[in-house]
Amino acid sequence: MTIATSSYFNSFMIFGLALAILTVAPLAEARAFFVFGDSLVDSGNNNYLATTARADAPPYGIDYPTRRPTGRFSNGLNIPDIISEQIGQSQPPLPYLSPVLKGHKLLNGANFASAGIGILNDTGIQFLNIIRMFRQLDYFEEYQRRVSGLIGSQKTGELVNKALVLITVGGNDFVNNYYLVPFSARSRQFSLPDYVKYLISEYRKLLMRLYNLGARQVLVTGTGPLGCVPAELAMRSTDGECSEELQRAAALYNPQLVEMIKGLNSEIGENVFIAANTQQMHMDFISDPQAYGFTTSKVACCGQGPNNGLGLCTVLSNLCPDRDHYAFWDPFHPSEKANRIIVQQIMSGSTQYMTPMNLTTFLAN
C-alpha cells in the first residue's frame, strides 16, 4: 500500500468512525420513553381493539409525515411525538399492542395509552374494549419481563429508572363519566367536590404503582379547560362561552392534582413527579387565539354542527383547509400546532405552567 493510499485509507477510516459516533451518539444518549393515558396521547393502541374510540380512518393523520391515519387523535403529531423529538429520540415509542414492537425496538420505550379511558375503571364503558389504567400498568410489568429477556433484569431496571414517563388521564372521568348523561351514576353518588377528591385519591394509587414499577421521572399533565373544547361549546354553551360547570370541574381538579403530586414527592423524599398545568397552557391560546397564529379556538377544524363540535371527525365532516389556523383539530383534541405550543411550555415553561420545575430542568437533574 502506498503512503498516499494509506493516508487516504486512514482518513476514510477516521471519517467513517466519526460518522458512526455521530450516528450512534444520539441513540445512546436518548432515554427510553413510556406513555400512559387517554386519547390525547394514544398513538394507535386502539387500532388493535374492538372499540369505537379509534382514529384510524381519514382525515385523521392528514398532516402526519406519511399523510395516513395512525390512530393518533390529531391531524399530525401528538404530544408524545413532540416530546420524543425534544428528548432526542430517533422515533417516538410505538403502541404497545403493535406487532412491530419487538426485539431492540422495545428499548426505545412503549406507548400504553388508550383512547376513552379514565382514572376510574367505569369511565368510557360506552367504548367497550379499551385498555383501562390498571391494564396499562399490567402491560408495563409485562414489558419489563420482555425486556429482561433481552438485556437482563438489572439493565432493564436501569432503563426504566432513567426513562421519562408521561401520564395524561382524568378528562374522560368528567366528560365521559360524571357529565356523560344527566343524573349519571357517579353524579348521583358524589357531589362534584367529593368526586374530585375521589379521583385524586384513585390517581394517587396509580402514580404510586408506577413508582413501585420503577418509574423515577414522571411527567403528569392536568386536564385542559374541559368546558372550552368545541364539543362542549356545541352541547352545553348557550352564549358561545365555555361551559361553566365543566370549567368548575377543571378548576377544582387541577390544583388538587398539583397538591397531591407535591405530597407524593415529599413522602418519597425526592422529585419523582412533575405536574404540567395544561389548563393554563390551553387557556393562553383559547382566550387569545390570534396571539398564537390561530384564527379560532372555538371551532374545530374537522366536525359538523355548531362549532364543528358534534359527532366524530370523518370523511363526511367539514374539514378546514389550513389546520394551523385552528387550535382544535376535532371536537375534543388540539391540532398539531396547538400540541407544539403545549410541549414548548412543558419543556421550558415557568412555574406558572410547571410544578416544581419544567421538563428540561427535570431531566437535567
Side-chain angles (χ1 to χ4, degrees):
M1 184 181 288
T2 65
I3 293 173
T5 308
S6 175
S7 176
Y8 172 80
F9 181 75
N10 289 339
S11 298
F12 180 79
M13 286 295 289
I14 290 165
F15 172 75
L17 183 61
L19 188 64
I21 290 168
L22 284 171
T23 307
V24 172
L27 297 179
E29 290 167 10
R31 66 191 71 228
F33 184 22
F34 301 105
V35 181
F36 300 86
D38 57 27
S39 59
L40 290 165
V41 293
D42 183 354
S43 293
N45 279 310
N46 281 20
N47 294 358
Y48 304 97
L49 302 171
T51 178
T52 54
R54 308 166 70 111
D56 59 343
Y60 285 96
I62 190 170
D63 299 311
Y64 193 75
T66 60
R67 302 293 184 263
R68 294 173 180 272
T70 60
R72 291 164 172 81
F73 286 75
S74 173
N75 58 300
L77 302 184
N78 63 12
I79 285 171
D81 294 325
I82 301 163
I83 290 176
S84 175
E85 286 177 357
Q86 293 290 318
I87 65 172
Q89 287 198 314
S90 58
Q91 65 172 37
L94 291 166
Y96 187 67
L97 297 185
S98 169
V100 179
L101 183 63
K102 57 187 176 184
H104 284 272
K105 288 184 179 177
L106 287 162
L107 305 184
N108 194 50
N111 186 320
F112 302 91
S114 178
I117 66 99
I119 295 164
L120 306 181
N121 291 332
D122 57 294
T123 292
I125 52 172
Q126 71 273 30
F127 300 125
L128 303 176
N129 189 21
I130 50 181
I131 313 170
R132 305 190 187 285
M133 275 308 310
F134 77 91
R135 180 65 66 206
Q136 291 185 30
L137 294 172
D138 287 348
Y139 279 148
F140 188 36
E141 285 193 73
E142 179 183 89
Y143 164 91
Q144 293 188 43
R145 289 194 295 271
R146 290 173 67 186
V147 173
S148 292
L150 284 174
I151 61 173
S153 58
Q154 183 179 339
K155 286 188 176 176
T156 299
E158 291 171 5
L159 180 145
V160 171
N161 287 166
K162 292 174 182 175
L164 173 62
V165 176
L166 167 65
I167 181 164
T168 296
V169 66
N172 283 327
D173 292 288
F174 296 101
V175 298
N176 280 309
N177 191 330
Y178 195 85
Y179 291 109
L180 179 63
V181 292
F183 310 108
S184 67
R186 288 296 191 184
S187 68
R188 293 196 309 271
Q189 182 184 7
F190 292 107
S191 68
L192 180 61
D194 287 343
Y195 183 63
V196 168
K197 287 177 187 170
Y198 177 59
L199 287 180
I200 296 294
S201 69
E202 291 300 301
Y203 201 172
R204 191 182 192 282
K205 294 173 189 174
L206 295 174
L207 294 180
M208 278 309 298
R209 187 173 172 205
L210 254 182
Y211 177 78
N212 290 333
L213 289 172
R216 293 296 180 269
Q217 294 182 307
V218 184
L219 166 61
V220 183
T221 65
T223 72
L226 300 171
C228 301
V229 300
E232 300 305 335
L233 293 179
M235 291 187 289
R236 296 175 188 276
S237 177
T238 54
D239 57 0
E241 298 305 314
C242 303
S243 160
E244 286 187 14
E245 184 64 11
L246 277 165
Q247 286 299 88
R248 187 165 80 94
L252 283 170
Y253 174 84
N254 287 313
Q256 290 186 47
L257 177 62
V258 171
E259 289 307 308
M260 181 264 280
I261 285 168
K262 286 180 181 175
L264 273 180
N265 285 337
S266 177
E267 186 178 309
I268 292 166
E270 61 179 320
N271 290 319
V272 169
F273 303 96
I274 60 170
N277 184 351
T278 38
Q279 182 176 12
Q280 185 58 51
M281 294 173 190
H282 280 81
M283 283 311 298
D284 286 351
F285 58 74
I286 285 173
S287 58
D288 190 2
Q290 285 74 26
Y292 293 84
F294 298 118
T295 306
T296 179
S297 61
K298 293 180 182 291
V299 180
C301 168
C302 182
Q304 46 278 313
N307 306 84
N308 277 348
L310 299 179
L312 303 171
C313 170
T314 71
V315 288
L316 301 177
S317 298
N318 301 320
L319 180 66
C320 69
D322 188 345
R323 274 69 65 184
D324 282 352
H325 288 171
Y326 287 72
F328 286 93
W329 155 244
D330 70 9
F332 285 102
H333 303 97
S335 62
E336 177 182 326
K337 181 176 175 180
N339 284 333
R340 288 193 176 278
I341 293 167
I342 291 164
V343 172
Q344 185 179 1
Q345 291 288 19
I346 287 172
M347 295 304 300
S348 57
S350 69
T351 50
Q352 178 188 2
Y353 299 97
M354 299 296 298
T355 304
M357 68 192 80
N358 61 43
L359 186 55
T360 302
T361 304
F362 188 50
L363 295 181
N365 284 350

